[in-house]
Amino acid sequence: MQHDDAKERQESSLIGRLFSLEVALFLMGVASLVYGLMNHIESNIFFGILIIPGVFILHRVKKKDWKAHWAELEEQKRRQEEREEERKRGGN
């Protein structure tokens, strides 16, 4: 039987995603919401409603490539400075 490193890495990645912080937070939000609805506890309902969309926002923020984002902002700033420099030279 062959040992497949790629398959093992893929399986560990799947297990890691299943037990990630986002999944734990999502399950906590669902549990809080369900518990609050069953027992008519407004604070649990509130926190459940707050946590569930927060997990999706957290996932989206973590997924974003921040290095590319900051590089893009620096490039925009550099181009704007070049335009201002040309405008100053053209105005004299």
Side-chain angles (χ1 to χ4, degrees):
M1 189 164 158
Q2 279 184 309
H3 182 70
D4 191 1
D5 288 332
K7 185 176 180 183
E8 185 178 316
R9 202 171 323 128
Q10 183 181 12
E11 288 173 356
S12 68
S13 171
L14 178 63
I15 292 170
R17 280 185 267 150
L18 287 176
F19 295 111
S20 69
L21 179 61
E22 289 91 355
V23 173
L25 285 171
F26 179 76
L27 292 176
M28 189 63 193
V30 170
S32 177
L33 182 62
V34 169
Y35 181 78
L37 289 172
M38 289 175 58
N39 296 315
H40 306 288
I41 302 173
E42 291 84 14
S43 62
N44 284 51
I45 295 169
F46 171 75
F47 285 117
I49 290 172
L50 193 68
I51 291 170
I52 293 170
V55 169
F56 291 107
I57 293 169
L58 174 67
H59 177 70
R60 195 166 167 88
V61 167
K62 275 182 71 175
K63 193 172 152 183
K64 187 171 176 127
D65 184 7
W66 287 105
K67 287 183 181 181
H69 173 71
W70 293 119
E72 181 180 326
L73 286 178
E74 287 294 323
E75 180 64 25
Q76 287 177 355
K77 183 178 175 184
R78 186 188 60 77
R79 279 187 264 140
Q80 183 177 357
E81 288 173 354
E82 286 176 358
R83 283 193 297 266
E84 288 176 6
E85 186 73 26
E86 277 189 35
R87 195 175 71 225
K88 285 179 183 178
R89 278 187 268 143
N92 289 334

